[in-house]
Amino acid sequence: MKNLRFSLLALALCAAPGFAADAIPQRADVSLSLANQLLDATLAACHAQGRTAVAAVVDRGGNLVALQRDDNVGPHNTLAAQRKAFTSLSTKTSSRQLSENARNNPEAENLNTLDELLLLGGGVPLKVEDQVIGAIGVAGAGGAEIDEGCALTAIEQVLPKTL
């Protein structure tokens, strides 16, 4: 009886004037499974270069989905990886590119004063078609270019397989 009432209510709402099916947006997001696949591939890419790191994945809302940290990685790198991911998500660009933009553009120079952003390379947005669905951040692998490279390798390996 309860299911019948719910079904009738749902039917009434759908038939109500002004109700549009597109009023509730459908958006791709990062699942825990996808985050862990990306993290596994990221650390594997770093290990292939004889490096250790910490990597974090955030969803489209900036929430931490998953994090993996190799042994003997400095503790500051855990927060750095998460902040790099958040920076990439919120700016829809790599944190390395944002860092370069801030250095070369006086109008963007003060971005480094925002506590939430970390203008160091290693953060890369996760894109599906033209939507940013999350981001990955890597820290501790040995510099911005290497951190970013590990993330990019993982994205190339994992995202095409999941779509």
Side-chain angles (χ1 to χ4, degrees):
M1 186 67 169
K2 190 176 185 180
N3 287 339
L4 178 62
R5 280 188 223 151
F6 180 75
S7 297
L8 290 174
L9 177 62
L11 183 60
L13 286 174
C14 289
F19 181 82
D22 61 351
I24 301 172
Q26 300 296 312
R27 296 186 177 124
D29 208 339
V30 177
S31 66
L32 178 59
S33 175
L34 175 58
N36 282 323
Q37 290 174 43
L38 286 162
L39 294 175
D40 289 342
T42 298
L43 292 182
C46 288
H47 298 163
Q49 299 177 48
R51 301 186 178 272
T52 57
V54 59
V57 172
V58 297
D59 65 15
R60 70 181 307 125
N63 304 297
L64 180 65
V65 178
L67 182 135
Q68 290 185 24
R69 181 184 161 279
D70 277 322
D71 296 336
N72 300 318
V73 175
H76 64 285
N77 289 305
T78 300
L79 182 56
Q82 187 174 351
R83 286 183 56 206
K84 288 177 183 186
F86 182 85
T87 298
S88 275
L89 169 78
S90 64
T91 62
K92 296 181 170 80
T93 188
S94 75
S95 59
R96 191 165 90 140
Q97 182 63 52
L98 186 65
S99 174
E100 290 175 19
N101 293 349
R103 275 195 308 274
N104 298 324
N105 180 353
E107 291 183 20
E109 186 175 37
N110 65 350
L111 286 173
N112 64 5
T113 65
L114 297 173
D115 290 337
E116 296 82 11
L117 302 182
L118 185 56
L119 276 63
L120 293 174
V124 181
L126 301 171
K127 296 181 181 179
V128 174
E129 297 173 5
D130 63 344
Q131 286 187 43
V132 175
I133 64 164
I136 187 167
V138 181
E145 189 174 343
I146 296 167
D147 291 346
E148 185 178 274
C150 293
L152 289 172
T153 297
I155 291 168
E156 289 173 17
Q157 291 175 354
V158 174
L159 275 185
K161 293 179 180 179
T162 61
L163 302 177

